[in-house]
Amino acid sequence: QVQLQESGPGLVKPSETLSLTCTISGGSISPYYWSWIRQPPGKGLEWIGYISYDGITNYNPSLKSRVTISLDTSEKQFSLKLDSVTAADTALYYCARAPHLDYWGQGTLVTVSS
Amino acid sequence: EIVLTQSPPTLSLSPGERATLSCRASQSVSNYLAWFQQKPGQAPRLLIYDASNRATGIPARFSGSGSGTDFTLTISSLEPEDFAVYYCQHRSNWPRTFGQGTRVEI
């Protein structure tokens, strides 16, 4: 059974960089697209971006200038970095397996506050 | 960016009733449309992918239909555990987007 687990700081200061890692267990990295999706409290879902099993990335244009997603195949982890965060980046951050988003992590709440 | 509009925003029904949820795309997404269920405090769960294919372990009371710009999720007979928020999502092009959700409540 595939399992995904997010990890990282739950509190980030404004203007700093949000960094999260997702650890994949119970399944193969290929041929999937490993994705980050976020959900502000009480609101809907926004796809941040993905990295493919062979390292191709695609980012939401609304966040593209601030986002980097990377993949470590040896550790079976992929990571999200979001630069210059503001309060608007406060959200529950999920990692998930694409293309069908059939497996999700449980989510990690990141609050942007000084 | 493709905009997905879900209707109605809220659906008030009773257990045993039929639920019909709609998702309309601002341009064709072919059949690249999925449906998710989200309960409070939980991650979304994939119900339907590519418009009409049930995901693994999803009960047969959930069905999806449609293509192009108009899609429907039908729950044939609501069980108590089906009261939740439902989202549609496309994978036709980038960026992938989600609808704003339909809440199914008692």
Side-chain angles (χ1 to χ4, degrees), chain B residues 34-105:
Chain B
W35 291 93
F36 296 85
Q37 176 193 68
Q38 188 176 34
K39 297 179 181 179
Q42 296 185 17
R45 177 175 72 144
L46 176 68
L47 299 175
I48 302 287
Y49 65 94
D50 293 348
S52 60
N53 297 287
R54 267 192 305 278
T56 303
I58 300 304
R61 65 180 181 274
F62 292 92
S63 63
S65 63
S67 67
T69 60
D70 290 298
F71 299 86
T72 301
L73 173 69
T74 301
I75 311 171
S76 60
S77 178
L78 283 163
E79 297 287 340
E81 62 267 27
D82 299 336
F83 292 90
V85 179
Y86 293 82
Y87 293 96
C88 58
Q89 176 255 329
H90 83 86
R91 65 179 185 95
S92 173
N93 62 11
W94 190 255
R96 316 293 200 237
T97 55
F98 293 86
Q100 81 281 16
T102 289
R103 179 180 303 277
V104 177
E105 63 177 27

Side-chain angles (χ1 to χ4, degrees), chain A:
Chain A
Q1 176 77 342
V2 175
Q3 292 187 314
L4 304 178
Q5 177 71 56
E6 304 93 349
S7 59
L11 181 64
V12 182
K13 290 183 168 55
S15 79
E16 296 190 344
T17 296
L18 179 160
S19 296
L20 296 174
T21 296
C22 182
T23 302
I24 306 161
S25 59
S28 173
I29 285 181
S30 64
Y32 301 103
Y33 292 69
W34 300 95
S35 302
W36 288 98
I37 293 161
R38 70 180 183 178
Q39 185 172 37
K43 296 189 178 180
L45 297 156
E46 178 181 38
W47 197 319
I48 299 169
Y50 68 75
I51 186 164
S52 69
Y53 61 97
D54 55 356
I56 297 170
T57 55
N58 212 340
Y59 304 135
N60 192 317
S62 67
L63 298 168
K64 186 173 184 177
S65 63
R66 299 193 291 132
V67 173
T68 304
I69 298 175
S70 58
L71 177 65
D72 184 337
T73 55
S74 62
E75 294 292 326
K76 294 186 74 175
Q77 294 179 330
F78 63 106
S79 298
L80 169 70
K81 290 190 186 301
L82 181 65
D83 297 327
S84 306
V85 297
T86 69
D89 295 310
T90 293
L92 199 52
Y93 285 76
Y94 294 102
C95 56
R97 188 178 84 169
H100 297 305
L101 303 182
D102 51 352
Y103 290 98
W104 295 65
Q106 85 280 8
T108 187
L109 178 63
V110 179
T111 301
V112 178
S113 175
S114 56

